[in-house]
Amino acid sequence: MTDEDRGSGFMPGGRASLPPASGGPLAGLTFAAKDLYDVAGHPTTYGNPDWARTHPAAVATAPAVLALAEAGARFLGKTKTVELAFGLTGENVWYGTPVNPAVPDRFPGGSSCGSASVVARGEADIALGSDTGGSVRIPASYCGIYGIRPSWGSVSLVGARPLAPSYDTAGWFAARASVLRLAGEVLLPEGGEAPLGPVIRVQEAWMNAQPAVAAALIPAMEAVEKVLGPALQLSLVPETLLELYEHFRAVQSEEAWATLGAWVAETNPQFGPGVGERFAMARAMDPAKARAGRAFRQHFRQRLMGLLGGGAVLIYPTSPLIAPKLGASAAEQLWVREVTLGVTAIAGMGGLCEVSIPAATVEDAPVGLSLVAAPGRDRALLALAEQVAERMGLPL
Amino acid sequence: MTDEDRGSGFMPGGRASLPPASGGPLAGLTFAAKDLYDVAGHPTTYGNPDWARTHPAAVATAPAVLALAEAGARFLGKTKTVELAFGLTGENVWYGTPVNPAVPDRFPGGSSCGSASVVARGEADIALGSDTGGSVRIPASYCGIYGIRPSWGSVSLVGARPLAPSYDTAGWFAARASVLRLAGEVLLPEGGEAPLGPVIRVQEAWMNAQPAVAAALIPAMEAVEKVLGPALQLSLVPETLLELYEHFRAVQSEEAWATLGAWVAETNPQFGPGVGERFAMARAMDPAKARAGRAFRQHFRQRLMGLLGGGAVLIYPTSPLIAPKLGASAAEQLWVREVTLGVTAIAGMGGLCEVSIPAATVEDAPVGLSLVAAPGRDRALLALAEQVAERMGLPL
């Protein structure tokens, strides 16, 4: 494998094509898909050579991939993923970690690292990812592009490998807000277009962010206020982000082991740094904690629906930190993971939709600003992101 | 007029009856109505002898009064009101200020002072009031009973004298939560019964309350949390309560003068302390300020709908203070009015429904805790108040 292959977002040998549609709303655009979506006739590696070795090539193409192709976008191929989508830095020791073109000495973010990288490099207009705990939102923030975690259940994950099904969502990236929205018009169900507002700052998530990150996002926050009016300020109070993280992790771990544990136990696959440890922790998850996590999640969802069901929008930094440096220690990576998941778990636990807007840079590294809305409001949220981008003077 | 007449909540000579209905949901209950509702054959004094003198007796009975009678409640008569419903202390120098039975050396609150007083004394089970700027909520808080300001437009004000129509609402009192709800089932339109939640503490309103009031309400707040789950904490941030008060006052003043100014100018009526001054200020209101107030209100409503449309409930002290002492200076009364209207204007500006629960006492004087919901959620709000009362161990 060449250095170029190692740094590319595309899978080595992952270039592929699909029958082109003539015309359609995405005509003239290109797209790629994370290598956990099936494309008929191609292997789905799920980021791990042992997975690839133990699974046959796909016989059908995932509906989300087909939908983009049928809407006129030209398919370019598969993109790299963190092994079994279980990691947020974007590292892949087997196929190479995709370059973060905005800050090449830092991680691209993951698990949808390849999809973020190819969009950030301008190699594709749209790239499908998937987001369980932040796997679209974090690389979008790190690479300085748009990313959406749609409402849970709103976009088909048929033909996509699961990690923790009650959190798994499809998601996608684009370098421009209008393109992010166009893809949504193809992928999302009809409806949910009623305008959103007011905007609510979630105090805990702003406090949790690195001060430089929070400060850098203020102008973008003001652009949002120009669109939606002055922000209210909310504190979740009883739910600390740490508690959210713990409950999220308990449920995710139990599900990840239920979903992939049999294969891991049977195959005893080789894993890159961190991945095996995460599966070991998933295997050891106390069922009582997972049960408590599910009970918490049910109440949290009800509360969030009551808060956001009228159209209110949460706003906070997508990630509390800029991308960690390549070569960050395992301890630093674990810390980053914990403080990050506490924020990304808000939408994860709530089943909410979230769009990350490339809003600022800190030390030349991008940071995203997230707008978060009630389940089913994805289309309005994408329209709002486009309005905000316009206010910010970003290219549409 | 005897001392007993002066201290009664009933109008002197205001006892009246209506044809009783047999059975009905309110059978066995009694009710009274603020003397701004018409009852056929009786004068409607609107709290002022010159008004009584210059207006003929009513020829029809107000639909809200009829509805309660037709539901089986026995009508006892008219209750005192602050002159032209324009005041919050409950003083009426012409017919006498009704006693606040909970703290006889303090004001009963107004303008629906008589209705609050007769319910608090156990002389009627239900009493109709009206609420423009707090005229049901404040006397409910001061007298230690339940009161509701329903969603604007939800209960008929036909046959009721107006003050500031874009804020005027009917409203009613009861000493028990179940009775407050029963009256609502008769008066309110169908619907709006979907459960409410989560509960949101409005920081500004808690900060605005006298510390002893806020502290005394904590156990009641915890009872609400037992029903609706832990409270979120929200700051309105850009809208200070002072700003709310100013905008509320501008619109209310302009409307009050438009509604009653011609009569005031033509009749040059005798007014008790404060009332004439308020009309003079209303007359002098700058139209530009009223215009700005209406624009603000429109945005504020949109924002509140977005925040509460999913079912969230605001919670805060109904009044920042206990009832002022009888004989409080004009300056003190004006100050009380300003800090009080800043809070009551939240529901007023928002068109929201609000229930005040008799939740605690400070120096033996009652204070109410308010639950506030989106327009149209009145029935769910009344059911919630009953649940909370049960949790608090109050008689249902």
Side-chain angles (χ1 to χ4, degrees):
Chain A
M1 195 160 42
T2 66
D3 278 358
E4 197 184 311
D5 281 345
R6 291 201 70 81
S8 171
F10 285 106
M11 280 293 289
R15 298 286 179 152
S17 62
L18 287 168
S22 59
L26 305 182
L29 299 173
T30 58
F31 80 105
K34 185 177 186 177
D35 195 15
L36 56 66
Y37 288 94
D38 285 343
V39 174
H42 292 265
T44 303
T45 69
Y46 211 174
N48 178 276
D50 286 316
W51 183 279
R53 183 177 54 76
T54 56
H55 290 83
V59 293
T61 300
V65 174
L66 273 182
L68 293 176
E70 282 167 5
R74 186 162 57 86
F75 184 56
L76 300 175
K78 299 285 205 83
T79 59
K80 294 174 185 172
T81 171
V82 169
E83 295 165 69
L84 282 59
F86 207 178
L88 286 175
T89 55
E91 184 172 39
N92 190 308
V93 297
W94 311 111
Y95 304 115
T97 301
V99 161
N100 181 339
V103 267
D105 61 336
R106 293 180 181 272
F107 279 109
S111 65
S112 310
C113 48
S115 287
S117 184
V118 301
V119 166
R121 292 172 90 165
E123 296 169 344
D125 297 304
I126 301 161
L128 279 172
S130 67
D131 189 312
T132 301
S135 285
V136 164
R137 294 164 285 166
I138 295 307
S141 182
Y142 286 0
C143 290
I145 57 177
Y146 296 87
I148 178 172
R149 173 193 166 91
S151 304
W152 187 87
S154 66
V155 175
S156 173
L157 282 171
V158 169
R161 297 292 77 70
L163 171 59
S166 76
Y167 290 119
D168 292 348
T169 63
W172 58 96
F173 302 90
R176 292 187 295 143
S178 61
V179 174
L180 196 80
R181 178 180 55 73
L182 275 176
E185 284 171 14
V186 170
L187 294 167
L188 289 163
E190 297 288 319
E193 281 152 339
L196 297 168
V199 60
I200 302 176
R201 289 168 60 104
V202 179
Q203 219 164 349
E204 286 89 343
W206 285 89
M207 303 275 290
N208 179 60
Q210 204 183 18
V213 168
L217 291 173
I218 287 174
M221 171 78 211
E222 289 169 352
V224 173
E225 289 186 300
K226 289 220 173 69
V227 176
L228 290 184
L232 303 167
Q233 185 150 312
L234 182 103
S235 169
L236 301 169
V237 185
E239 289 105 27
T240 64
L241 299 186
L242 180 63
E243 194 184 3
L244 271 180
Y245 162 71
E246 293 288 3
H247 285 309
F248 174 85
R249 191 174 74 93
V251 176
Q252 186 200 27
S253 295
E254 188 180 67
E255 282 190 23
W257 189 255
T259 306
L260 299 168
W263 176 79
V264 171
E266 187 182 309
T267 309
N268 191 22
Q270 277 201 285
F271 280 131
V275 182
E277 287 81 343
R278 286 194 279 282
F279 275 106
M281 284 170 67
R283 177 179 215 159
M285 179 50 63
D286 176 358
K289 281 196 182 160
R291 210 158 41 236
R294 282 191 301 273
F296 177 91
R297 180 171 70 178
Q298 188 174 316
H299 291 126
F300 187 74
R301 282 196 181 185
Q302 272 180 357
R303 289 158 60 75
L304 267 286
M305 269 310 293
L307 180 67
L308 301 180
V313 176
L314 304 180
I315 192 165
Y316 45 80
T318 307
S319 159
L321 302 161
I322 57 175
K325 289 216 163 165
L326 297 170
S329 69
E332 181 181 344
Q333 288 191 37
L334 186 61
W335 171 75
V336 169
R337 183 176 170 79
E338 288 181 355
V339 297
T340 303
L341 280 169
V343 176
T344 56
I346 297 173
M349 293 292 269
L352 314 172
C353 52
E354 176 171 345
V355 167
S356 180
I357 297 172
T361 57
V362 171
E363 298 172 36
D364 296 327
V367 284
L369 181 67
S370 268
L371 298 169
V372 182
R377 303 283 194 139
D378 307 59
R379 284 171 180 260
L381 191 65
L382 287 165
L384 172 63
E386 199 172 349
Q387 278 182 282
V388 169
E390 191 175 359
R391 277 281 183 181
M392 291 171 64
L394 296 172
L396 297 181
Chain B
M1 196 160 40
T2 66
D3 278 358
E4 197 184 311
D5 281 346
R6 290 202 70 80
S8 171
F10 285 106
M11 280 293 288
R15 299 285 178 151
S17 61
L18 286 168
S22 58
L26 304 183
L29 299 173
T30 57
F31 81 104
K34 185 177 185 176
D35 196 17
L36 56 65
Y37 288 94
D38 285 343
V39 173
H42 293 264
T44 303
T45 70
Y46 211 175
N48 179 276
D50 286 317
W51 183 278
R53 183 177 55 75
T54 55
H55 291 84
V59 293
T61 300
V65 175
L66 273 182
L68 292 176
E70 282 168 5
R74 186 161 59 85
F75 183 57
L76 301 176
K78 298 286 204 83
T79 59
K80 293 174 184 172
T81 171
V82 169
E83 295 165 70
L84 283 59
F86 207 177
L88 286 175
T89 55
E91 183 172 39
N92 189 309
V93 298
W94 311 111
Y95 304 114
T97 301
V99 161
N100 181 338
V103 266
D105 61 336
R106 292 180 181 272
F107 278 110
S111 64
S112 310
C113 47
S115 288
S117 183
V118 300
V119 166
R121 292 172 88 166
E123 297 170 342
D125 296 305
I126 300 161
L128 279 172
S130 68
D131 188 312
T132 301
S135 285
V136 165
R137 294 164 286 165
I138 294 309
S141 181
Y142 286 0
C143 291
I145 56 177
Y146 296 86
I148 178 170
R149 174 193 165 89
S151 305
W152 187 86
S154 66
V155 175
S156 173
L157 282 171
V158 169
R161 297 291 78 69
L163 171 59
S166 77
Y167 291 119
D168 293 348
T169 63
W172 59 96
F173 302 90
R176 293 187 294 143
S178 60
V179 174
L180 196 81
R181 177 181 54 73
L182 274 176
E185 284 171 14
V186 170
L187 293 168
L188 289 164
E190 297 288 319
E193 281 151 340
L196 298 167
V199 60
I200 303 175
R201 288 168 61 103
V202 178
Q203 219 164 349
E204 285 89 344
W206 285 89
M207 303 275 290
N208 179 60
Q210 202 182 18
V213 168
L217 292 173
I218 287 174
M221 172 77 209
E222 288 168 353
V224 174
E225 289 186 301
K226 288 219 174 69
V227 176
L228 290 184
L232 303 167
Q233 185 150 311
L234 181 104
S235 168
L236 301 169
V237 185
E239 288 105 26
T240 64
L241 298 186
L242 180 63
E243 195 184 1
L244 271 180
Y245 162 71
E246 292 289 4
H247 286 309
F248 175 85
R249 192 174 72 92
V251 176
Q252 187 201 24
S253 296
E254 189 180 68
E255 282 191 23
W257 189 255
T259 305
L260 299 168
W263 176 79
V264 170
E266 188 181 308
T267 311
N268 191 23
Q270 276 200 285
F271 279 131
V275 182
E277 288 81 344
R278 287 193 279 281
F279 275 108
M281 283 169 67
R283 178 178 215 159
M285 178 50 63
D286 177 357
K289 281 196 183 160
R291 210 159 40 238
R294 283 191 300 274
F296 177 91
R297 180 171 70 178
Q298 187 174 315
H299 290 127
F300 186 73
R301 283 196 179 183
Q302 272 180 358
R303 290 158 59 74
L304 267 286
M305 270 309 293
L307 180 65
L308 302 180
V313 176
L314 305 180
I315 192 165
Y316 44 80
T318 306
S319 159
L321 302 161
I322 57 174
K325 289 216 161 164
L326 296 170
S329 70
E332 181 181 345
Q333 288 190 37
L334 186 62
W335 170 76
V336 169
R337 183 176 171 80
E338 288 182 355
V339 297
T340 302
L341 280 170
V343 176
T344 56
I346 296 173
M349 294 292 270
L352 312 173
C353 51
E354 177 171 345
V355 167
S356 180
I357 297 173
T361 58
V362 171
E363 300 172 34
D364 297 327
V367 284
L369 181 67
S370 269
L371 298 169
V372 183
R377 303 284 194 137
D378 306 60
R379 284 171 179 260
L381 191 64
L382 287 166
L384 173 62
E386 199 173 349
Q387 279 181 282
V388 170
E390 193 175 359
R391 278 280 184 182
M392 290 171 64
L394 295 173
L396 296 182

